[in-house]
Amino acid sequence: MPTPTPTPTPNPPAPGPEILAAFEAAKGFMPVGEGLALYAAAVEAGRLGLPLLEVGTYCGRSTILLAGAAREAGVTALTVDHHRGSEEQQPGWEYHDPETVDPELGVMDTLPTFRRTLHRAGLEDHVVALVGCSPKVAALWNSPLALVFIDGGHTDEHATADYEGWAPHVAEGGLLVIHDVFPDPVDEFTGQAPYRVYLRALASGAFTELPATDSLRVLRRTGDGI
């Protein structure tokens, strides 16, 4: 029997003040407006009774929203990240934060900050952190997911691997959410790879587009063909 499609509510659900405050206090780059849209998508998808998964955790800013939605739905939020930082977060790049560097090893390690973020938000019990490279974790995964949020590396290699590894696991009626989708070629480094993945998802015939919020794209799984 096909998985039922959740019915969107006229007024999108919003996180409670404690979740929103924890989100705004956490390290990360997602604006509030996109965060609210992500939360609403996660609440809707959570009605399928399946896990919610994000690729690209960084310090847990968006994880707070997924975990809050997972708690409401009685499901689990999963995060996939090697916690060594993506390309634009390395030393010498615009989004580098020296506080995320391991002082002993001299390499990025966002895992401790991520764990503190979840602890402060009171959400540790609702999240399973999968520490490793996205394609390797995806190769071991064999269960359907209510939501896949792609927000990892912004090269074609990494964005494509995230899509190919995880999009097939989105359940019928579930949601594929892609962050940093910028159609303008001027954004080649920051958003063109996610944009190309978004176009590929639409062209597959497996997804139907829902309303977008700034650089956040939401697509519902409505068919096969990934």
Side-chain angles (χ1 to χ4, degrees):
M1 178 179 294
T3 303
T5 299
T7 302
T9 54
N11 298 313
E18 75 288 350
I19 294 292
L20 186 57
F23 166 77
E24 291 183 305
K27 280 183 183 292
F29 311 104
M30 175 173 277
V32 173
E34 293 178 349
L36 294 176
L38 174 63
Y39 179 83
V43 169
E44 178 187 334
R47 298 184 190 126
L48 291 175
L50 298 169
L52 315 172
L53 180 141
E54 73 173 344
V55 181
T57 311
Y58 190 52
C59 296
R61 184 174 171 91
S62 57
T63 313
I64 289 172
L65 300 174
L66 295 183
R71 181 174 63 183
E72 291 295 317
V75 299
T76 299
L78 305 160
T79 73
V80 182
D81 201 311
H82 47 56
H83 288 279
R84 295 301 189 198
S86 56
E87 299 82 5
E88 70 274 13
Q89 295 161 359
Q90 301 306 317
W93 289 89
E94 179 180 359
Y95 295 102
H96 179 64
D97 183 347
E99 292 183 359
T100 63
V101 175
D102 183 315
E104 180 179 347
L105 300 180
V107 297
M108 284 191 63
D109 185 2
T110 56
L111 184 58
T113 304
F114 164 67
R115 298 200 67 180
R116 286 193 293 270
T117 297
L118 286 185
H119 180 77
R120 289 167 180 160
L123 293 168
E124 285 183 300
D125 291 343
H126 304 281
V127 178
V128 172
L130 304 170
V131 181
C133 294
S134 169
K136 292 184 178 180
V137 178
L140 301 173
W141 194 262
N142 59 7
S143 300
L145 299 163
L147 178 143
V148 167
F149 174 44
I150 296 179
D151 192 23
H154 285 49
T155 64
D156 280 302
E157 175 188 1
H158 292 135
T160 298
D162 291 340
Y163 173 77
E164 292 179 348
W166 293 106
H169 296 296
V170 178
E172 183 179 354
L175 300 178
L176 174 66
V177 184
I178 306 172
H179 194 216
D180 293 329
V181 174
F182 295 111
D184 192 330
V186 74
D187 297 304
E188 172 61 37
F189 186 73
T190 57
Q192 285 283 283
Y195 176 59
R196 285 187 279 270
V197 163
Y198 152 76
L199 292 178
R200 179 175 171 182
L202 287 179
S204 73
F207 295 97
T208 301
E209 187 167 22
L210 299 179
T213 301
D214 299 326
S215 76
L216 193 78
R217 299 294 186 272
V218 183
L219 304 97
R220 189 186 308 283
R221 179 76 183 268
T222 52
D224 298 323
I226 300 176

